[in-house]
Amino acid sequence: MEQQKLTWGQALRVYLKPRVLAMFFLGFSAGLPLLLVFSTLTAWLRDYGVSRTAIGFFAWVGITFSIKVLWAPVIDYLRLPLVTRWLGKRRSWMLVSQLGVSLGLLAMANLNPQLALTQVAILAVWVAFCSASQDVVIDAYRIESVDRDLQGAMAANYVFGYRVALLVAGAGALYIAELATWSVSYTSMAVLMGVGIITTLLVAEPDHQKVKSQSEPFQHDWVDRVLGSGEHGPLKEWFVRAVACPFIEFFQRNGRFALVLLLFIGIYRLSDIAMGVMANPFYLDLGFSKSDIAEIGKVFGFFCTIIGSFLGGLLVVRYGIMRPLILGAAMVAATNLLFAQLAQIGPDKAWLALVISADNISGGISNAVFIAYLSSLTNQAYTATQYALFSSLMTLPGKFISGFSGIVVDAEGYSQFFIYVAILGTPAVLLAIFLWWRESRTAEPEPTS
């Protein structure tokens, strides 16, 4: 049900709530390791003379982030000895994963890629694994900490912190390496993980007692259904409780409509992801300089994304999730038509700024709102596993289709490509409207005074 409207002032004050503020620092902790095992790492390797072939293999480190759903059930279910008793279910895993990232970066800082490339690769995988685990548990913490109407604000602050971390781990790490050494750069990044560690120690653990009392009868029922009421081994019981139950619960709660929800998750960001890989080649082929792309596309675009994220959070607080969800899908699809127009106009900086601002603001709105929507679909008894499933699914179709983007551009040109991508976004808009209509039909009527 859509909540009662708040004034804009009341909506803005949501960002001053302690747990909402804390999401900026947790978002920073989540975003910091990403580039340190991707583009920043490849710059370090190339600077030390590592071959392009070897650098290419480091792209496989990214697979770790795509398969985090495989160990999300462990994070959702397993208690860590001593640490869980001290910090609680979510903060214990958060702290362990953050320490893992920091120690991994520190170990990388003390290696020479020319002499220990294999060790660098192993540590990169370790950092990526710990980082993906941190993503899982921070997502779970974010969903469990506040009510549904605050999820948009939580998502906006998370995106803000994440984007700031990308700047620090990208441009910041390169700047430090230029002034000092790569060892100093990666050591500095390891120390900056302390932002997340300190935040984890300061925030409060979500209340799990109510969720536990609601989930235990469900788990017992399905353990008996799958394994029978007799004796069964602890490993099999753990598998049913931790791995099977999150998926069973989602389909049991939503019935056949769960397939529609999963379809919507898969196509919502289709238009956005499908065009992303062609953005920089498009700017260069159109005649923009690298400095134009950096200043307008990256720096100016960064601030536009942050503005869009905060707008998305405010819209969710004031209007609920469903209507901003429709708006985000429509804006993302429509901005591709501006790219198509830019392809006809040529290298005009004013038009580039217009297109970048529209694209990044709409992307920021849709991303914040969609994160809030995915959060609302989870059952807090299985938050980590279910959200890991959703976050993995939301990028797969777009990544697959984006692989054909170069073929379309070569055959049809950029203008036609962006028109096709805009059309790809239409099903997401229509399905978002359908979901809003369905929810409005089943919502309880507003009480009358």
Side-chain angles (χ1 to χ4, degrees), residues 182-194:
W182 282 106
S183 179
V184 172
S185 179
Y186 267 70
T187 300
S188 302
M189 297 300 113
V191 172
L192 281 175
M193 281 301 297

Side-chain angles (χ1 to χ4, degrees), residues 263 299 326 414-415 437:
L263 173 65
V299 179
I326 299 170
Y414 280 112
S415 184
W437 171 79

Side-chain angles (χ1 to χ4, degrees), residues 1 38 56 70 104 157 188 196 199 212 228 365 386 419 421 428 432 444:
M1 181 181 71
F38 286 110
L70 297 179
N157 261 6
S188 302
T199 305
K212 182 179 179 182
I365 290 173
Q386 290 182 350
I419 292 173
V421 173
E444 298 176 10

Side-chain angles (χ1 to χ4, degrees), residues 170-182:
L174 291 171
Y175 187 66
I176 295 172
E178 181 72 18
L179 290 178
T181 64
W182 282 106

Side-chain angles (χ1 to χ4, degrees), residues 5-139:
K5 283 185 184 179
L6 302 175
T7 66
W8 288 108
Q10 289 172 321
L12 279 168
R13 283 195 291 273
V14 166
Y15 287 105
L16 300 179
K17 291 180 178 292
R19 286 191 173 179
V20 178
L21 284 172
M23 284 312 302
F24 168 80
F25 300 104
L26 292 177
F28 180 88
S29 182
L32 192 69
L34 184 65
L35 296 186
L36 299 176
V37 294
F38 286 110
S39 59
T40 301
L41 176 60
T42 59
W44 177 21
L45 297 178
R46 190 59 188 157
D47 199 30
Y48 270 69
V50 177
S51 70
R52 293 184 182 88
T53 300
I55 291 173
F57 290 128
F58 275 80
W60 290 347
V61 174
I63 296 174
T64 311
F65 291 90
S66 300
I67 60 173
K68 60 188 177 183
V69 68
L70 297 179
W71 64 88
V74 178
I75 294 174
D76 231 353
Y77 196 79
L78 185 65
R79 294 173 61 88
L80 296 170
L82 301 177
V83 190
T84 299
R85 181 178 298 179
W86 173 38
L87 293 175
K89 179 180 179 181
R90 297 306 181 198
R91 292 195 302 151
S92 59
W93 275 103
M94 220 182 292
L95 180 64
V96 168
S97 60
Q98 289 163 346
L99 288 172
V101 171
S102 184
L103 292 174
L105 293 175
L106 196 60
M108 291 175 69
N110 288 287
L111 292 177
N112 183 332
Q114 291 174 319
L115 305 176
L117 188 61
T118 301
Q119 290 91 321
V120 171
I122 293 171
L123 286 170
V125 172
W126 167 256
V127 170
F129 171 77
C130 293
S131 178
S133 301
Q134 182 189 210
D135 290 348
V136 170
V137 70
I138 288 179
D139 286 332

Side-chain angles (χ1 to χ4, degrees), residues 220-241:
H220 283 307
D221 180 48
W222 276 97
V223 168
D224 290 341
R225 287 195 196 188
V226 176
L227 301 177
S229 56
E231 292 291 329
H232 37 258
L235 184 60
K236 290 183 179 180
E237 182 174 337
W238 173 86
F239 182 83
V240 175
R241 286 177 180 271

